[in-house]
Amino acid sequence: MNLASGVGGKLDKSQILSAVEKYEKYHVCYGGQEEERKANYTDMVNKYYDLSTSFYEFGWGQSFHFAHRWKGESLQESIKRHEHFLALQLGLKPGQKVLDVGCGIGGPLREISRFSSTSVTGLNNNEYQITRGEALNRIAGVDTTCNFVKADFMKMPFTDNSFDAVYAIEATCHAPDAYGCYKEIFRVLKPGQYFAAYEWCMTDQFDPNNEEHQKIKAEIEIGDGLPDIRLTTKCAEALKQAGFEVIWEKDLAIDSPVPWYFPLDTSNFSLNSFRLTAVGRFFTRSLVKGLEFVGLAPKGSLRVQEFLEKAAEGLVEGGKKEIFTPMYFFLARKPDSSTH
């Protein structure tokens, strides 16, 4: 029932179907242009998360990201370890002020705050996700140390040099331009401190002249609310251009013993992540269809489920062909005396 009531986030329930149609029109598969997606990225990303958040939470949990995974490790364990790895790379110390850029409903923020005894501020431009995140913070007991700020990460409402560390988990891929986003992160980070992120990128295996590669890229873009997926090399360039020193960077998908896309691959059956399997998706689809039919879920809910499934197919194909990664990791440092 949480799934049914949550579909559409802050959108008026009668507007869901038209929101789905408007969202779809932004994308290549429906004749949309990259320029239009970049110009209207706030509207596009907001619509995407209003439409998809309750499905994500239902199928995946509170942390909306993939993870490097060892054999014998559950999906949830790998997700937590992926978050702890980030905290350790940043060298977080108790009492520090940390910024989570594009924090979703705050799953990683709560985990990292408890793991490192830090105060984490989650930046998010989606009102529904913030409301949900605040409720979950109260339940987890971190509402006194962690908070959310509703703002655009291209124009952050923070003074210069105000955070001890900044991280982003599969979020800054929503930015219309990486340099502009990294420049803002650079500005709010204290000199000598670190910024770490997991980025969604096309790898150097991606061939822009290959029609199948382009189709997979477009499927991931529509299914995940992205204006354009950048190459890993473009992210590294944008960091340096913004003034950061890149300490190290690597696509962590390359040596993951269990492929990151494994939970989405319908040829696998797993009771741990049953809702993501072919049978589980069929049940979810039937459930959503039934709830929509009797009026408990808004009209258009099934369409949302369908475009999220399309995304899953694109992600699995992109992963198998190694042309896409959701975990291009980098650790970057703002120089001590910044001339920027």
Side-chain angles (χ1 to χ4, degrees), residues 153 170-176 199-201 224-230:
F153 52 39
E170 302 182 20
T172 43
C173 47
H174 289 295
E199 279 283 13
W200 279 34
C201 293
D224 297 281
L226 305 176
D228 179 39
I229 308 173
R230 293 176 275 276

Side-chain angles (χ1 to χ4, degrees), residues 23 52-53 63 73 89 103 195 212 238 303 330:
Y23 171 72
S52 64
T53 294
S63 292
E73 190 175 36
Q89 287 298 315
C103 62
F195 165 43
E212 193 189 0
R303 284 275 286 277
F330 58 75

